[in-house]
């Protein structure tokens, strides 16, 4: 079996669901269940013996050591993190604790466990660290996309904490020989995405008749990848990635935020027209920009394609249509997510922007 951390969050849950579906191999899922963790994402695995959920912190060394020695996983896939840039601007401390200290403690536990392994169990063990393109900083309009050799220039407390974790992972390979792999992926979208992030927030607000808050001029560019393509790339890197290597993951889908919001509005016009027959895009409003807002991210995913033959299955058009439809079909999931603590966050983040 494998140990997945953060497997009740957006990407981690998609990964666990797809893993059990495609690999038919067990998962120990260690998740702290912060505001972003949601066991409802894993409801379909309720009676599945391949899924073993443990609520806990990656920074709890005793717990992680016990899980490793009890279950003897052949790999660790580390998704656990604080992941929202705006929250990192309001409260950076949690990002330092989980993304840096937590990753460090997880690496230490992994090193102790791996050191005690022998034979093929030792040679085949992997520690895969899931990271982000945001560690590379911001591109200008015509600069080439980020390759794995791009220098690290993180600009937010979130990206700086992820950058620090990437460096720790690298150092554990270089210094101790721990068999690590690191992936740096572009912006994901798809089912179970927490509605603090751009795409689900716009769907939720549009359906609720609320304003659609676009930061600044809305011309910031992100490179969007359907979450299940991210999961298939991670599976491929785990299977065949070269030890100590970094693989960038992306779908060659650069879009300006305003174009994303307009696309979501047009799909909702088609799939769930407003009762008054007006267009959802009339709800768009421009609000104060994010401090230090990165202008453009773009991933050059050629290394992953060349070495491991990975390519995304979805185009942006097919992925965004599936995503909007998923939110329309999963109103129950949404209603439970949009509870007390979510409302407080929306109040905190948007009140000061108006
Ligand atoms: P998320 O915020 O939806 O989920 C994070 C999960 O980690 C939650 O279930 C949370 O409960 C758990 N968690 C937080 N702190 C923990 C701790 N100390 N111990 C154990 N569990 C803890 O995040 P996501 O969007 O699913 O991102 C997952 C990973 O992928 C992160 O490492 C993130 O940096 C990376 N990533 C995300 C994107 C994206 O677009 N969302 C893109 C590239 C990389
Ligand atoms: P987000 O989903 O928070 O991801 P990230 O900051 O990690 O890229 O934001 C995506 C883009 O959308 C980013 O440029 C900020 C912008 N944005 C808005 O314009 N309005 C919003 O309400 C949110 C949450 C994000």
């Amino acid at each position: 079996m494998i140990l997945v951390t953060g497997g009740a969050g957006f990407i981690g849950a998609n990964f666990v669901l797809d893993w059990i579906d495609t690999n038919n191999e067990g998962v120990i899922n260690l998740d702290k269940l912060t505001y972003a963790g949601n066991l409802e994402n894993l409801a379909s695995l309720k009676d599945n013996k391949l899924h073993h959920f443990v609520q806990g912190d990656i920074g709890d060394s005793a717990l992680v050591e016990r899980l490793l020695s009890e279950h003897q996983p052949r790999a660790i896939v580390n998704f656990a993190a604080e992941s929202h840039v705006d929250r990192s601007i309001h409260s950076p401390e949690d990002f330092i604790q989980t993304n840096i200290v937590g990753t460090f403690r997880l690496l230490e536990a992994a090193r102790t466990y791996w050191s005690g392994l022998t034979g093929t169990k030792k040679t085949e063990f992997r520690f895969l660290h899931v990271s982000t393109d945001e560690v590379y900083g911001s591109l200008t309009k015509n600069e080439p996309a980020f390759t794995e050799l791009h220098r690290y220039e993180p600009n937010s407390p979130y990206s700086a904490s992820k950058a620090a974790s990437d460096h720790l992972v690298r150092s554990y390979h270089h210094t101790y020989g721990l068999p690590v792999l690191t992936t740096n992926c572009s912006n994901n979208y798809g089912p179970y995405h927490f509605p603090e992030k751009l795409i689900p927030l716009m769907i939720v607000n549009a359906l609720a008749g609320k304003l659609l808050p676009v930061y600044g001029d809305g011309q910031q560019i992100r490179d969007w990848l359907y979450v299940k393509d991210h999961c298939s790339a991670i599976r491929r890197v785990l299977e065949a990635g070269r030890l100590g290597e970094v693989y960038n993951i992306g779908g060659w889908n650069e879009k300006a935020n305003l174009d994303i919001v307009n696309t979501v509005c047009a799909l909702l016009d088609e799939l769930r027209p407003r009762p008054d027959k007006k267009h959802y895009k009339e709800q768009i409003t421009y609000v104060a920009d994010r401090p230090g807002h990165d202008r453009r991210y773009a991933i050059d995913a050629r290394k992953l394609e060349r070495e491991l033959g990975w390519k995304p299955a979805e185009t942006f058009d097919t992925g965004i249509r599936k995503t909007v439809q998923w939110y329309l079909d999963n109103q129950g999931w949404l209603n439970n997510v949009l509870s007390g603590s979510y409302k407080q966050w929306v109040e905190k983040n948007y009140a000061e922007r108006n």
Side-chain angles (χ1 to χ4, degrees):
M1 58 164 63
I2 62 168
L3 171 66
V4 169
T5 71
F10 163 48
I11 306 173
N14 276 286
F15 180 84
V16 169
L17 292 169
D18 289 359
W19 178 270
I20 288 178
D21 206 30
T22 58
N23 288 43
N24 199 30
E25 183 182 3
V27 172
I28 314 148
N29 185 350
L30 173 64
D31 195 297
K32 190 177 173 184
L33 295 182
T34 66
Y35 77 93
N38 184 356
L39 283 179
E40 270 197 60
N41 301 352
L42 303 159
S44 63
L45 297 176
K46 200 168 159 281
D47 298 316
N48 194 316
K49 296 213 164 23
L50 291 177
H51 182 234
H52 179 64
F53 183 79
V54 179
Q55 182 171 4
D57 193 321
I58 55 167
D60 181 344
S61 305
L63 171 65
V64 178
E65 280 165 19
R66 181 171 62 73
L67 289 176
L68 291 172
S69 96
E70 259 176 41
H71 298 280
Q72 300 275 308
R74 69 174 180 93
I76 298 174
V77 184
N78 182 31
F79 291 95
E82 289 293 335
S83 69
H84 188 32
V85 174
D86 291 322
R87 286 188 194 249
S88 84
I89 294 168
H90 284 279
S91 325
E93 174 86 29
D94 290 345
F95 289 72
I96 306 306
Q97 282 310 326
T98 284
N99 300 1
I100 306 179
V101 179
T103 303
F104 158 69
R105 296 214 176 118
L106 187 66
L107 280 164
E108 271 294 276
R111 177 167 79 91
T112 308
Y113 166 68
W114 170 76
S115 302
L117 296 176
T118 51
T120 53
K121 271 189 137 183
K122 185 163 192 173
T123 51
E124 287 175 9
F125 179 77
R126 298 287 181 269
F127 183 105
L128 191 151
H129 179 60
V130 179
S131 192
T132 164
D133 59 359
E134 304 194 24
V135 297
Y136 298 125
S138 183
L139 293 166
T140 56
K141 202 167 175 221
N142 297 315
E143 271 180 295
F146 301 126
T147 69
E148 291 79 0
L149 299 175
H150 196 282
R151 61 184 277 191
Y152 271 43
E153 292 175 327
N155 290 321
S156 70
Y158 164 64
S159 55
S161 66
K162 290 297 291 187
S165 68
D166 293 7
H167 292 323
L168 283 168
V169 170
R170 177 190 157 87
S171 77
Y172 270 62
H173 178 68
H174 195 82
T175 305
Y176 304 111
L178 189 72
V180 307
L181 298 154
T182 299
T183 56
N184 292 84
C185 189
S186 59
N187 283 60
N188 285 214
Y189 66 99
Y192 306 112
H193 205 181
F194 193 77
E196 64 185 354
K197 307 279 171 64
L198 179 73
I199 290 178
L201 182 101
M202 294 300 158
I203 298 172
V204 165
N205 279 18
L207 292 173
K210 294 186 181 158
L211 292 172
L212 308 179
V214 170
Y215 295 171
D217 63 2
Q219 293 309 312
Q220 303 82 5
I221 290 171
R222 299 290 181 266
D223 189 349
W224 294 93
L225 183 70
Y226 191 62
V227 64
K228 298 204 173 279
D229 281 326
H230 187 186
C231 295
S232 75
I234 292 171
R235 290 198 301 276
R236 185 69 191 128
V237 172
L238 191 60
E239 179 178 61
R242 286 188 292 130
L243 292 189
E245 289 291 317
V246 173
Y247 292 91
N248 282 356
I249 307 174
W252 305 96
N253 262 312
E254 286 185 61
K255 306 266 181 214
N257 292 341
L258 192 57
D259 294 336
I260 294 286
V261 179
N262 277 319
T263 302
V264 167
C265 288
L267 279 166
L268 287 173
D269 284 341
E270 179 194 325
L271 300 170
R272 181 69 56 85
R274 272 173 46 157
D276 62 7
K277 303 285 179 247
K278 288 187 176 164
H279 293 297
Y280 283 100
K281 70 179 181 194
E282 290 184 23
Q283 292 167 228
I284 292 175
T285 181
Y286 293 89
V287 299
D289 208 349
R290 173 185 280 172
H293 199 170
D294 283 340
R295 197 68 184 165
R296 174 177 165 239
Y297 304 140
I299 276 284
D300 181 333
R302 279 178 295 182
K303 176 176 173 183
L304 182 55
E305 186 178 344
R306 192 176 58 244
E307 287 191 11
L308 304 182
W310 176 86
K311 270 190 187 175
E314 301 289 343
T315 63
F316 187 71
D317 287 349
T318 58
I320 193 71
R321 181 173 283 277
K322 281 186 185 172
T323 303
V324 171
Q325 190 63 59
W326 187 87
Y327 280 87
L328 291 174
D329 293 343
N330 287 275
Q331 206 64 50
W333 180 89
L334 253 188
N335 291 341
N336 290 344
V337 165
L338 304 177
S339 64
S341 69
Y342 177 76
K343 285 194 190 120
Q344 282 156 22
W345 164 252
V346 169
E347 182 62 25
K348 191 172 179 183
N349 190 41
Y350 294 96
E352 67 196 29
R353 290 181 193 275
N354 293 330

